[in-house]
């Protein structure tokens, strides 16, 4: 710290700690050039000046935490430094990205997309190039972040993706069989399964039809346990399983741990099974789905379900390439139960030790805490009030409710700190409420009490604290992920960005520190120590990013060549500052061209691009990597390419020719 700052910092803090810390800085303070004078000059309150000092990360210094957040409509993941809130990186998943050449001629991304959308099993449907990425989940080992992988859900498509945090690239996209959409995506404590549940029920996967008049009979929700093979870094559908659920709208979910280990919990709404039909004289879904006072939390004994699948029981069917437990089997085998919850619930979160589920009904100003031990006990003792229309038992609410805290209007999601608090986002109040958890986090007399509330600016959705989804929340910071920006930043057109707000939760009162706009509505996120992510700085020579190993397509310097076999042209290219070798590729119209590009650089960040005119192809080749681009030269002409990264003094000279002779 420079000496001038050291000299004035204590002074600033002193007057920052006065009782009325929101008042403008007292005019008396501050020698010219001092921090006080600076704060005065910028009309900062002591609180604001303090927040600026607490969140400023000087040039060249690293942020303590990284937030891995959903990029919502962008179809990407964003990495954001905390406390600076600087955007560090975008990881494209479901949508094209020019910078990284993602999905724009790069064979790997194109292959992932084809595998991971409604096509190609359904040739009448196009490959999907948009996503609405809601729920990222950092991989866990023994219930804590290990910094190895990120799993992500996609609301419109019912698919999941796996990102490797060694190179921050999407490695796999898997279409969940037998479903159209999903929403929630969470892990078990050792990343054994990434679990998604459907959002909108359907009679089956893409292409399966049944009229809405057969909704109750034919439409189903599903929960899918995607088996993760950690050694391979891939999901294995052949070892995964799915459980059919009633055609309610399943929403957020959480996997048990500690006393609730082996169980899985999902919120649901529209237990009325409303299907809309406003032009057909029926209630719109909004009305039809709001009739019941209580909706139903799904309680799933997934360990027992896993055992049933492993037993080879004929009751488990195979459908769409995955083992499926039909709804009636789930009922008869005691795999599925319900617990009543306040109507139209959204968030469902588990305390760090697995003792309590915190659920919020959007229309009830309370959060409800359920004891997981009591739920399991009530199931074992058959303490049921009735069955749902599918014969699934509903546990008595009185037997399982541990706490009921009035927090405010529109409660959504809850996160936790390391001091025995829960924090709930209030969508309608635009606020965050802090409350005390029950034992063992607090004494019974101190449990389930509202302790603080802070105003947020417009319609908060998710919120997050470091390590909240783990056994060991770290506390300190809370990020509010807000839906609307309204007047918080300079106007940038009718469509505003969304807005993140950083809050200090280390003291007795929550304090707003800073805010930053972000592109694409963020939903869930996880926050991890920066030092816990073991990113590679360069690839070992010739690495195929798909396998993370030296690949067969790599070309050594001196071995560059063009091979022709009939209409097949195979180019083995090496790039290094500041040229491509070869830099001329001659083909005949109609030839199929494969170019394997190896970046021979070993210097950090020495990435080269390959932007080819006319073919919708751009690739980004990281140091050490080999990337493949592939196309058919259908049009004769002269199509130069160039390097899209300003990589050197002779970057402008880094270019080449694709010459397509007419046939
Ligand atoms: S959801 Cu977006 S605010 Cu998809 Cu987790 Cu709650
Ligand atoms: Cu390589 Cu510019």
């Amino acid at each position: 710290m420079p000496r001038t700052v050291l000299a004035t910092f204590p002074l600033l803090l002193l007057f920052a700690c006065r009782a009325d810390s929101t008042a403008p800085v007292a005019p008396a303070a501050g020698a010219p050039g001092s921090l006080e004078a600076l704060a005065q000059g910028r009309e900062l309150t002591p609180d604001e000046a303090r927040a600026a000092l607490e969140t400023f990360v000087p040039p060249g210094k690293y942020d303590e935490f990284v937030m891995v957040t959903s990029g919502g409509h962008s179809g990407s993941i964003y990495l954001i430094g905390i406390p600076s809130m600087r955007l560090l990186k975008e990881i494209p998943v479901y949508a094209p990205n020019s910078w990284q050449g993602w999905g724009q001629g790069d064979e790997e991304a194109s292959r992932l997309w084809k595998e991971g959308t409604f096509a190609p099993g359904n040739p009448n449907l196009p490959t999907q190039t948009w996503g609405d990425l809601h729920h990222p989940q950092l991989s866990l080992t023994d219930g804590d972040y290990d910094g190895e992988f990120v799993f992500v859900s996609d609301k419109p498509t019912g698919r999941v993706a796996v990102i490797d945090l060694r190179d921050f690239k999407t490695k796999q996209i898997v279409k969940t069989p037998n479903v159209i959409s999903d929403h929630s995506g969470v892990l078990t404590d050792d990343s054994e399964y990434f679990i998604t549940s459907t959002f909108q029920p359907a009679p089956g996967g893409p292409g399966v039809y049944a009229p809405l008049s057969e909704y109750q009979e034919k439409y189903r929700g599903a929960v899918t346990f995607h088996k993760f093979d950690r050694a391979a870094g891939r999901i294995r559908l052949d070892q995964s399983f799915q459980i059919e659920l009633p055609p309610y709208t399943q929403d957020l979910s959480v996997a048990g741990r500690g006393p609730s280990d082996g169980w899985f919990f999902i919120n649901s709404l529209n237990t009325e099974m409303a299907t809309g039909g406003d032009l057909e004289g029926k209630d719109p879904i909004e009305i039809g789905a709001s009739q019941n006072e209580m909706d139903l939390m799904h309680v799933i004994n997934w360990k027992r379900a896993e055992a049933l699948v492993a037993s080879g029981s004929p009751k488990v069917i195979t459908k769409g390439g995955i083992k499926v437990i039909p709804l009636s089997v789930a009922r008869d085998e005691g795999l599925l139960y319900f617990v009543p919850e306040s109507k139209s619930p959204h968030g469902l979160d588990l305390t760090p030790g697995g003792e309590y589920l915190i659920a919020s009904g959007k229309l009830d100003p309370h959060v409800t805490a359920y004891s997981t031990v009591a739920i399991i006990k009530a199931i074992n003792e058959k303490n049921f009030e009735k069955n749902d229309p599918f014969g699934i038992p509903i546990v008595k609410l009185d037997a399982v409710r541990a706490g009921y805290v009035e927090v405010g209007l529109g409660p959504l999601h809850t996160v936790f700190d390391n001091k025995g608090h829960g924090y709930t986002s209030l969508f309608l109040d635009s606020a965050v409420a802090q409350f005390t958890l029950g034992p063992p986090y607090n004494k019974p007399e101190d449990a389930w009490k509202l302790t603080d509330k802070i105003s947020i600016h417009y319609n908060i959705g998710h919120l997050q604290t470091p390590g909240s989804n783990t056994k060991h929340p770290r506390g300190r910071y809370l990020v509010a992920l807000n839906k609307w920006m309204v007047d918080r930043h300079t106007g940038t057109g009718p469509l505003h960005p969304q807005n993140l707000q950083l809050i200090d939760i280390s003291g007795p009162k929550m304090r707003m520190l800073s805010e930053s706009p972000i592109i694409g509505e963020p939903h869930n996120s996880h926050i991890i120590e920066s030092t816990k992510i073991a990113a590679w700085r360069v690839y070992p020579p010739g690495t195929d990013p798909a396998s993370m190993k030296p690949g067969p397509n790599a070309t050594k310097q001196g071995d560059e060549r063009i091979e022709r076999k009939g209409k097949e042209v195979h180019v083995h290219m090496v790039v290094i500052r500041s040229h491509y070798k070869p830099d001329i590729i001659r083909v005949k119209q109609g030839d199929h061209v494969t170019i394997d590009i190896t970046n021979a650089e070993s210097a950090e960040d020495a990435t080269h691009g390959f932007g080819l005119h006319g073919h919708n192809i751009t690739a980004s080749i990281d140091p050490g990597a080999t990337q493949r681009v592939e196309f058919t030269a259908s049009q004769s002409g002269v199509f130069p390419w160039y390097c899209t990264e300003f990589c050197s003094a002779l970057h402008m000279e880094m270019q080449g020719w694709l010459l397509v002779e007419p046939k």
Side-chain angles (χ1 to χ4, degrees), residues 66-72 74-82 85 87 89-91 93 133-138 150 152 163 462 464 479 481 500 518-527:
V66 173
M67 177 161 80
V68 178
T69 188
S70 110
S74 72
S76 299
I77 288 285
Y78 294 126
L79 303 178
I80 293 170
I82 290 178
M85 300 302 284
L87 177 64
K89 178 135 188 186
E90 176 177 8
I91 307 174
V93 183
L133 194 160
H134 278 225
H135 294 108
Q137 162 90 48
L138 279 165
V150 182
V152 294
I163 296 165
H462 272 275
Q464 202 45 269
V479 178
L481 297 104
L500 309 180
I518 190 78
I519 311 303
E521 186 178 301
H523 295 267
N524 206 4
S525 62
H526 287 203
I527 301 172

Side-chain angles (χ1 to χ4, degrees), residues 577-578 580 607-609 643-648 651-652 654:
R577 276 165 287 177
S578 303
Y580 300 88
T607 297
H608 296 287
C643 175
T644 53
E645 294 273 341
F646 207 122
C647 54
S648 65
H651 151 77
M652 294 300 177
M654 194 167 174

Side-chain angles (χ1 to χ4, degrees), residues 42-328:
R42 297 204 60 213
E43 298 185 356
L44 299 180
T45 67
D47 253 4
E48 288 164 348
R50 182 179 166 194
L53 286 176
E54 287 171 325
T55 55
F56 178 66
V57 177
K61 295 255 168 71
Y62 293 174
D63 277 292
E64 185 180 351
F65 294 101
V66 173
M67 177 161 80
V68 178
T69 188
S70 110
H73 320 105
S74 72
S76 299
I77 288 285
Y78 294 126
L79 303 178
I80 293 170
I82 290 178
S84 76
M85 300 302 284
R86 295 178 295 197
L87 177 64
L88 301 174
K89 178 135 188 186
E90 176 177 8
I91 307 174
V93 183
Y94 296 124
N97 181 289
S98 298
W99 172 40
Q100 297 176 49
W102 184 246
Q104 290 177 319
D106 173 314
E107 265 310 284
E108 176 63 6
S110 309
R111 185 180 65 76
L112 292 186
W113 277 356
K114 277 185 216 137
E115 286 177 5
T117 68
F118 291 157
N122 300 272
N124 295 330
L125 296 168
T127 295
Q128 184 165 325
T129 58
W130 69 283
D132 185 10
L133 194 160
H134 278 225
H135 294 108
Q137 162 90 48
L138 279 165
S139 56
L140 299 171
T141 297
D142 189 23
D144 204 351
Y145 298 144
D146 54 39
E148 292 186 0
F149 296 95
V150 182
F151 301 82
V152 294
S153 72
D154 183 38
K155 202 170 175 185
T157 318
R159 58 179 166 173
V160 298
V162 180
I163 296 165
D164 193 323
L165 284 180
R166 286 175 296 176
D167 66 349
F168 296 81
K169 287 196 165 81
T170 303
K171 300 296 173 181
Q172 188 184 22
I173 303 177
V174 178
K175 174 75 188 86
T176 309
N178 309 321
V179 310
I180 299 294
S181 78
D182 73 18
H183 187 196
S184 186
V186 295
L187 280 176
T188 53
D189 264 358
D190 279 309
S191 309
E192 200 185 352
Y193 291 103
F194 183 57
I195 307 159
T196 57
S197 41
T198 46
F199 187 64
Q200 284 148 312
V208 179
Y209 180 78
L212 282 171
S213 57
E214 297 173 10
Y215 191 79
Q216 186 164 333
E217 188 187 325
K218 298 252 175 84
Y219 283 59
R220 290 290 174 266
V223 56
T224 306
F225 291 75
H226 297 267
K227 173 79 176 177
F228 183 57
D229 176 346
R230 190 187 278 262
R234 297 290 187 276
I235 282 166
R236 301 278 183 228
L237 265 192
D238 58 349
Q239 296 165 36
S240 304
F241 65 96
Q242 194 167 58
I243 306 174
E244 272 184 10
L245 300 174
Y248 308 147
T249 297
Q250 281 80 26
D251 203 23
L252 292 196
S253 64
V254 65
R257 67 159 60 105
S260 48
D261 188 29
W263 294 79
F264 193 75
F265 309 92
I266 316 173
N267 271 341
S268 71
L269 49 122
N270 195 11
T271 50
E272 298 86 346
M273 294 183 275
T275 56
D278 47 7
L279 290 185
E280 297 164 21
K282 296 193 207 120
D283 282 336
I285 295 178
E286 177 189 20
I287 306 280
S290 306
Q291 300 304 308
N292 295 347
E293 262 323 296
M294 303 299 268
D295 282 307
L296 297 172
M297 183 203 300
H298 297 41
V299 179
I300 294 165
N301 190 337
W302 74 261
K303 276 283 180 193
R304 188 183 284 181
E306 185 191 44
L308 181 72
V309 172
S311 74
S313 162
K315 294 175 187 162
V316 179
I317 60 176
T318 299
K319 191 173 154 193
I322 191 172
K323 294 270 189 305
V324 179
I325 302 176
L327 181 57
S328 58

Side-chain angles (χ1 to χ4, degrees), residues 356-607:
Y356 304 101
L357 291 156
I358 312 291
S360 310
K362 298 187 292 288
L363 307 176
D364 177 349
H366 297 82
V367 293
T368 304
Y370 298 87
S371 157
T372 55
V373 170
I375 290 174
I376 297 165
K377 183 163 177 274
I379 289 170
N380 289 338
E381 293 174 356
K382 301 198 171 5
N383 194 0
F384 304 134
E385 60 175 49
K386 59 177 181 189
N387 291 344
D388 87 328
F390 300 89
I392 314 290
I394 303 173
V395 165
K396 280 203 189 111
L397 178 61
D398 289 351
V400 298
R401 193 159 82 175
Y404 194 55
V405 191
E406 183 165 353
V407 287
L409 297 179
L412 295 186
H413 299 284
T414 300
V415 294
F416 307 96
D417 68 7
N418 52 351
K419 294 178 181 163
H421 296 115
Y423 298 81
T424 299
S425 54
L426 304 171
F427 181 81
L428 296 176
D429 266 359
S430 288
V432 171
Q434 181 200 58
F435 62 93
T436 53
L437 305 175
Y441 302 95
N442 293 288
K443 295 195 205 103
E445 60 271 28
D446 298 329
W448 311 121
K449 295 206 163 68
L450 181 70
T451 43
D452 194 19
K453 223 165 152 174
I454 187 170
S455 284
I456 297 298
H457 298 92
Y458 317 119
N459 295 358
I460 179 173
H462 272 275
L463 70 180
Q464 202 45 269
T465 62
S468 176
N469 299 66
T470 75
K471 281 184 184 171
H472 310 289
R474 281 61 150 176
R476 305 238 341 244
Y477 296 110
L478 183 148
V479 178
L481 297 104
N482 304 338
K483 305 298 184 194
W484 284 14
M485 180 183 103
V486 191
D487 57 3
R488 303 301 295 173
H489 302 282
T490 306
T492 52
L495 176 61
H496 297 325
Q498 280 80 18
N499 198 27
L500 309 180
Q501 294 187 303
L502 181 70
I503 294 161
D504 176 4
I505 56 167
S506 61
K509 285 258 159 209
M510 290 184 272
R511 294 165 52 234
M512 181 67 69
L513 295 176
S514 74
E515 62 186 344
S516 16
I518 190 78
I519 311 303
E521 186 178 301
H523 295 267
N524 206 4
S525 62
H526 287 203
I527 301 172
I528 182 174
E529 289 81 0
S530 317
T531 51
K532 271 201 148 189
I533 303 180
W536 286 3
R537 294 283 175 159
V538 293
Y539 288 109
T543 297
D544 169 13
S547 66
M548 298 296 277
K549 295 189 183 111
N553 303 331
T555 308
K556 288 210 176 69
Q557 276 184 288
D559 204 17
E560 304 90 344
R561 63 198 186 279
I562 300 177
E563 293 167 347
R564 291 167 212 278
K565 248 190 229 155
K567 286 188 159 308
E568 289 296 325
V569 180
H570 192 164
V571 182
H572 303 264
M573 178 188 280
V574 172
V575 296
I576 189 162
R577 276 165 287 177
S578 303
H579 61 271
Y580 300 88
K581 190 171 183 184
D583 60 3
I584 299 177
I585 301 173
R586 298 174 196 277
V587 303
K588 290 244 160 50
Q589 187 174 9
D591 283 354
H592 181 253
V593 185
T594 303
I595 313 176
D596 286 320
I597 313 171
T598 297
N599 183 337
E601 303 276 0
S602 56
E604 186 170 338
D605 219 6
T607 297

